Amino acid sequence: MLYPLPAVLVTVADRSGKPNIFTAAWAGTVCSDPPMVSVSVRPERYSHGIIEETGEFVINLTTGRLVRATDYCGVKSGRDTDKIKDMKLHLLPGEAVKAPLLAESPVNIECRVKETLRLGSHDMYLADVLAVHADEAYMDEKGRFFLDKAKPIAYSHGGYYLLGEKLGTFGYSVKKR
């Protein structure tokens, strides 16, 4: 019942360079220093084997414009179809990993697996963040990400939801007036 969750698109590339993309809703920040993230993947997923083989992946944040691709990449398998071609998505080369970046995503997080936790239905990959790319259109002059401009999506109990309304800032509840 820990909902909503970020719906992210994860890109990978096998040793030969063949890319794939899949949707994950079980991803998140686990540490800020050093920067680390996690993503949980079912062992039967096609990309699970690629992550096991290469130890690399890219987490690509999703937006309202990517909701159809996000759903499609979660229900179709890279074993059977080229989801990148099917959804007319565009890839960019990573700087720190061989896995590609999703050009349509406002934020791309390049990751290298540090540890794998075999947990049951999913394996959790704890990964070091090697590089972060953010579309300048969503950044302010101080280098902060404008969530409301990006219009990210979240996943909850089978539905996709648009996020973005700012309700306050950290510490506003105790700020002196």
Side-chain angles (χ1 to χ4, degrees), residues 12-131:
V12 296
D14 65 17
R15 288 199 195 279
S16 70
K18 180 183 175 197
N20 190 47
I21 187 168
F22 68 98
T23 302
W26 292 354
T29 301
V30 295
C31 189
S32 59
D33 187 17
M36 294 180 69
V37 294
S38 71
V39 65
S40 295
V41 183
R42 288 183 178 273
E44 57 270 15
R45 296 285 298 258
Y46 175 66
S47 289
H48 181 278
I50 297 172
I51 295 172
E52 289 286 315
E53 175 185 314
T54 65
E56 298 179 344
F57 59 89
V58 176
I59 294 175
N60 304 277
L61 299 190
T62 56
T63 65
R65 290 186 335 218
L66 286 168
V67 70
R68 184 171 174 78
T70 301
D71 184 63
Y72 186 86
C73 293
V75 296
K76 292 291 189 174
S77 174
R79 282 186 189 95
D80 307 319
T81 189
D82 183 342
K83 296 181 276 185
I84 297 157
K85 181 180 171 190
D86 295 349
M87 290 287 97
K88 297 177 177 57
L89 298 172
H90 303 90
L91 301 178
L92 300 168
E95 290 178 7
V97 297
K98 291 188 172 117
L101 314 178
L102 179 61
E104 289 83 358
S105 175
V107 177
N108 318 96
I109 305 167
E110 296 187 52
C111 306
R112 181 163 294 126
V113 175
K114 182 179 183 90
E115 187 176 344
T116 304
L117 300 173
R118 313 264 183 226
L119 300 173
S121 64
H122 289 69
D123 289 344
M124 177 189 287
Y125 297 106
L126 294 174
D128 291 316
V129 173
L130 304 179

Side-chain angles (χ1 to χ4, degrees), residues 127-141:
D128 291 316
V129 173
L130 304 179
V132 177
H133 310 272
D135 187 329
E136 292 296 321
Y138 303 112
M139 304 299 287
D140 71 8
E141 65 282 346

